Amino acid sequence: MKRFRTRLKVEGDPLVAEPAAMWKHIQENDVTIVVADPDEFSGGTGKFLDPALLAHPDKVQLVQTFGQTRVFRIHP
């Protein structure tokens, strides 16, 4: 999973252990695009990222799907 931020800066997924902390990290770092790859090894996408995104439907927009990979736009 990667987060594409403004000015084409790419940052890897942080090791955040809970959905609320994940959302806080997204907001504090002004993340505008989230690319969510299925994470079958550790399950971090399903455990932490998906719940964080689903908890804020007014600020998250699904913009594209490529197989199981999803691209979300984060609104301020």
Side-chain angles (χ1 to χ4, degrees):
M1 167 177 62
K2 298 243 183 302
R3 292 203 182 88
F4 292 82
R5 304 193 318 174
T6 56
R7 298 188 184 145
L8 300 177
K9 182 177 179 182
V10 178
E11 183 176 303
D13 176 40
L15 297 174
V16 178
E18 61 182 42
M22 177 72 78
W23 183 254
K24 182 179 177 185
H25 176 80
I26 289 169
Q27 293 296 298
E28 287 176 347
N29 290 286
D30 298 322
V31 174
T32 56
I33 298 290
V34 173
V35 178
D37 291 324
D39 183 1
E40 296 168 0
F41 179 71
S42 68
T45 299
K47 289 180 192 174
F48 310 118
L49 180 61
D50 288 343
L53 297 176
L54 291 173
H56 300 89
D58 56 325
K59 297 188 181 239
V60 177
Q61 174 188 6
L62 178 65
V63 293
Q64 191 73 34
T65 303
F66 302 98
Q68 293 183 343
T69 300
R70 297 160 293 139
V71 180
F72 297 94
R73 176 161 305 181
I74 307 298
H75 300 285

